[in-house]
Amino acid sequence: MTPLRYVNLYCNTACDSRCTTCTFWKMHPRHWLDAEVLASVASSRFVSEETWFALQGGEFTLHSGADAILDLFADRNYILFTNMLNPRRVKELVDRHDVQYVTVSLDGGREGYARIRGVDAFDRVTAGIRQLSERASVSVGITITPWSTYEDVREAMDWCNAANVPFGLNVYTESRIYGSERRAEPIAPLQRIVDETGDAYCAAHILWSRGELNLPCRSIRRVASISPDGDLHLCHNLDIVLGNIHEARFDDIWSSERTNQLHQQYESCSACWTSCYRELDLEEAR
């Protein structure tokens, strides 16, 4: 039995961002996962002490059942993902549930943030990050897109460095779960960013995009991704659903013969560069 390393739980579609990288905020009808249906995931026999859950949306803090979900995962390793558009709401959840790890999206400086994330809120978000850093371990996620400029990424990184906030770089992909509408075209400033940061994930993306790196996707056996409608996906970038946790228990889907056959069929795939899978593949390849 292969234990899970990461479980991506997209708990709701509701979101107060208007990102160009995602369409959760456009989706109707709204979908959400409640604590009752997530119980079979939290208690899975494939979960171990090494398993980390990513609790996210949409905007997770807009979920009416956020408290119940955080109670459910209180004894598990998890990271709360947020856009930090409402710092007070985030801090209240962190305080009530003693949340230890929070990741905030920050995809540019003032102008770039507004253009990419659709809301003019850079100052509000960064103030919230500073405040919450006194209470929890806060990191920043910076997604580099084909429509990002070098200055967008540089300004976000410079803010993090000045505020002593750790950050990670991600590269936009055409995620089926997010309902991505824009193509993952070449990213002009990516090589310069790699030259300046030495970021291994982005450097490998450049090699992969040139056809110089073919890395099998062994991680599909160790990463599970569940969308707000309850669908358990093979991965982010293929339209293959293994089952739905509203209709069957997580373990019954994950251990089924069909899931095993699909894992065998696609574990040599190298068709995308989605961070929650490929970072694990890179780690194991080293």
Side-chain angles (χ1 to χ4, degrees), residues 42-59:
S43 62
S44 169
R45 70 177 186 271
F46 295 96
V47 170
S48 72
E49 293 181 353
E50 295 183 355
T51 306
W52 282 84
F53 293 88
L55 303 182
Q56 49 196 315
E59 170 54 27

Side-chain angles (χ1 to χ4, degrees), residues 14-19 58-62 81-86 89-90 103-106 113 117 121 125 129:
C15 191
D16 42 2
S17 292
R18 296 294 182 264
C19 298
E59 170 54 27
F60 178 82
T61 65
L62 288 173
F81 285 75
T82 177
N83 59 23
M84 194 62 83
L85 288 181
N86 190 327
R89 185 174 63 215
V90 177
T103 294
V104 182
S105 298
L106 190 74
Y113 182 97
R117 300 194 61 81
V125 170
I129 294 171

Side-chain angles (χ1 to χ4, degrees), residues 17 21 54 66 68 79 86 107 119 205 216 231 236 239 249 257 266:
S17 292
T21 56
I79 303 171
N86 190 327
D107 300 334
V119 181
H205 177 278
D231 281 346
H236 268 246
D239 287 319
R249 290 181 58 82
E257 181 58 32
Y266 286 99

Side-chain angles (χ1 to χ4, degrees), residues 88-153:
R88 179 178 177 181
R89 185 174 63 215
V90 177
K91 186 176 183 300
E92 288 174 351
L93 278 176
V94 167
D95 287 342
R96 280 200 300 273
H97 297 277
D98 192 28
V99 177
Q100 298 297 303
Y101 300 98
V102 178
T103 294
V104 182
S105 298
L106 190 74
D107 300 334
R110 285 179 179 82
E111 188 277 331
Y113 182 97
R115 176 166 39 80
I116 294 170
R117 300 194 61 81
V119 181
D120 186 3
F122 179 85
D123 291 335
R124 186 197 327 165
V125 170
T126 51
I129 294 171
R130 288 185 186 274
Q131 181 184 37
L132 195 65
S133 294
E134 300 174 0
R135 175 64 183 80
S137 177
V138 181
S139 61
V140 159
I142 302 171
T143 298
I144 309 170
T145 75
W147 48 97
S148 300
T149 66
Y150 167 78
E151 289 74 21
D152 293 335
V153 182

